[in-house]
């Protein structure tokens, strides 16, 4: 038995016992990270999520939100795409590549996450509907409070040993940590809008610095273990999930005859998952002995998510430049 097989079997056993019997069972996997540094990473992860959602809230305007609420066609289509296409894609890929239970639940959590705020940046680059993008990110986060536990419960029934493995408490806590700061940001933009731009700039700067800090601390402590996550199966899943989301999101919005900018927006919103939320859930919901290096899966996912989005942006910009001047106007 090689190291990877032993790790998978031990971790899967630990997951099933912890979730079904509510007892603390340690596996053969030992997490080589100091307790102080682990607390620092947890704290920074939560701070990043909090600051990012405040900054996101500061970019939203109540009047524009009302306009989309009164004509909710785009939001409804995007919600159906987000919570219909991505969870089903994660489930099918986990089945096709025969992932281990802990790997399957990691992928399912990623697939059931709401839209991420990285999609707002991609939407801007693709000249999409920014109001729809920001509203969709917020709405999907709110809907995720009920949809995410429900979808995880339903899809986990298809895996032996995962019927009771959904970390509901951890998911709800992590989702609340995103909704509260977003509401704070909306309130700031509504009643003290003169501070909104400054908060967004400061928030993005702190986000960048904190992300670098987490990357450095993680690489120092887990650099030698990253190969455990870089299996061919997980790499294939991480590369195919966002691509399928982008394509099917665009196809679905095309079937409902949405405007071109809305098609691009819904496509991006479908394929872009809230990876920060996924990482937070994995860190909060599972003991270190259980999740092991798999909490790095969202990092691999976001790399493919960004690379594929950048490819679409390059293709779109090239297409825009080659359009006739009259059509461009």
């Amino acid at each position: 038995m090689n190291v990877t097989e032993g790790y998978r079997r031990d971790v899967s056993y630990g997951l099933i016992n912890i979730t079904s019997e509510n007892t603390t069972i340690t596996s053969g996997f030992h997490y080589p990270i100091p307790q102080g540094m682990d607390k620092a990473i947890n704290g920074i992860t939560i701070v990043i999520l909090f600051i990012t959602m405040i900054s996101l809230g500061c970019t939203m305007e109540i009047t524009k939100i009302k306009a989309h609420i009164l004509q909710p066609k785009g939001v409804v289509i995007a919600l159906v795409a987000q919570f219909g296409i991505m969870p089903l894609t994660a489930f099918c890929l986990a089945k096709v590549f025969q992932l281990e239970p802990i790997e399957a639940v990691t992928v399912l959590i990623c697939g059931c996450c709401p839209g991420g705020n990285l999609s707002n940046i991609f939407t801007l680059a693709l000249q999409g509907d920014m109001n729809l993008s920001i509203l969709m990110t917020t709405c999907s986060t709110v809907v995720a409070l009920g949809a995410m536990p429900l979808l995880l419960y339903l899809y986990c029934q298809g895996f032996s040993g995962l019927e009771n493995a959904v970390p509901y408490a951890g998911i709800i806590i992590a989702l609340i940590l995103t909704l509260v700061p977003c509401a704070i940001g909306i309130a700031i933009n509504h009643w003290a809008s003169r501070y909104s731009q400054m908060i967004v700039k400061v928030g993005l700067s702190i986000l960048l610095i904190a992300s670098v800090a987490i990357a450095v601390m993680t690489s120092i402590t887990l650099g030698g273990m990253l190969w455990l996550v870089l299996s061919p199966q997980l790499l294939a899943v991480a590369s195919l999930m966002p691509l399928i989301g982008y394509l099917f999101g665009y196809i679905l919005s095309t079937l409902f005859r949405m405007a071109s900018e809305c098609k691009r927006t819904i496509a991006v919103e479908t394929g872009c998952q809230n990876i920060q939320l996924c990482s937070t859930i994995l860190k909060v919901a599972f003991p270190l002995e259980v999740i092991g290096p798999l909490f790095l899966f969202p990092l691999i996912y976001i790399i493919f998510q960004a690379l594929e989005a950048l490819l679409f942006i390059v293709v779109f910009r090239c297409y825009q430049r080659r359009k006739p001047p009259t059509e461009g106007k």
Side-chain angles (χ1 to χ4, degrees):
M1 179 179 65
N2 58 36
V3 176
T4 305
E5 291 174 347
Y7 157 73
R8 288 179 177 175
R9 185 173 294 111
D10 287 341
V11 171
S12 301
Y13 176 79
L15 172 65
I16 296 169
N17 280 273
I18 287 175
T19 53
S20 61
E21 298 178 7
N22 295 321
T23 57
T24 303
I25 298 177
T26 59
S27 64
F29 173 77
H30 298 287
Y31 208 65
I33 183 169
Q35 184 177 3
M37 185 172 291
D38 177 64
K39 290 182 178 180
I41 292 176
N42 287 338
I44 294 175
T45 301
I46 294 175
V47 169
I48 288 177
L49 185 64
F50 196 87
I51 293 176
T52 301
M53 294 309 296
I54 288 180
S55 301
L56 174 63
C58 286
T59 63
M60 302 183 67
E61 298 180 17
I62 294 179
T63 55
K64 294 180 180 180
I65 294 174
K66 289 181 179 178
H68 276 291
I69 292 176
L70 293 176
Q71 296 180 344
K73 180 180 178 181
V75 176
V76 172
I77 294 173
L79 282 173
V80 172
Q82 180 73 59
F83 294 108
I85 294 174
M86 295 310 293
L88 180 60
T89 299
F91 176 81
C92 292
L93 290 176
K95 281 292 188 181
V96 168
F97 291 100
Q98 298 180 347
L99 299 183
E100 297 291 330
I102 184 62
E103 295 173 337
V105 78
T106 300
V107 171
L108 284 172
I109 288 175
C110 184
C112 292
C113 277
N117 39 41
L118 188 62
S119 62
N120 306 137
I121 300 174
F122 294 151
T123 299
L124 181 63
L126 288 169
Q127 299 178 10
D129 189 331
M130 284 302 298
N131 294 320
L132 175 60
S133 176
I134 295 173
L135 180 62
M136 185 56 236
T137 302
T138 305
C139 288
S140 64
T141 303
V142 175
V143 173
L145 277 172
M148 196 172 178
L150 175 62
L151 289 170
L152 281 172
Y153 170 78
L154 294 176
Y155 283 112
C156 281
Q157 306 306 307
F159 293 91
S160 177
L162 290 186
E163 295 84 356
N164 300 312
V166 183
Y168 299 106
I171 291 172
I172 292 175
I173 291 173
L175 289 174
I176 290 175
L177 288 176
T178 66
L179 293 177
V180 171
C182 185
I184 293 174
I186 294 174
I188 292 173
N189 193 37
H190 183 69
W191 283 295
S193 58
R194 61 184 181 276
Y195 299 113
S196 296
Q197 292 298 321
M198 180 185 66
I199 292 175
V200 172
K201 291 179 180 179
V202 172
L204 292 176
S205 300
I206 295 176
L207 173 63
L208 177 61
I209 295 172
S211 299
V212 172
I214 284 183
V216 171
M217 287 189 291
T218 302
S219 62
I220 291 175
T221 56
L222 299 176
M225 294 169 47
L226 188 59
W227 65 273
L228 287 173
V229 191
L230 298 179
S231 65
Q233 294 88 345
L234 286 177
L235 284 176
V237 170
S239 62
L240 289 174
M241 272 182 64
L243 180 61
I244 293 173
Y246 292 142
L247 295 179
F248 277 85
Y250 192 87
I251 292 172
L252 182 63
S253 56
T254 300
L255 293 176
F256 284 91
R257 300 180 180 181
M258 300 294 295
S260 297
E261 60 272 14
C262 292
K263 293 179 185 177
R264 296 191 293 271
T265 302
I266 293 174
V268 170
E269 288 292 332
T270 303
C272 283
Q273 304 300 96
N274 192 329
I275 298 305
Q276 293 171 330
L277 176 60
C278 181
S279 298
T280 303
I281 290 174
L282 292 176
K283 292 286 290 179
V284 170
F286 296 107
L288 296 178
E289 301 85 9
V290 172
I291 193 62
L294 284 173
F295 90 93
L296 295 174
F297 175 79
L299 175 62
I300 301 172
Y301 183 91
I302 198 174
I303 291 174
F304 283 104
Q305 176 179 276
L307 289 176
E308 291 166 6
L310 289 175
L311 176 61
F312 291 137
I313 291 170
V314 170
V315 172
F316 173 75
R317 290 302 178 92
C318 292
Y319 169 75
Q320 288 289 91
R321 290 183 179 182
R322 295 178 65 89
K323 286 173 64 176
T326 53
E327 186 179 352
K329 291 181 182 179

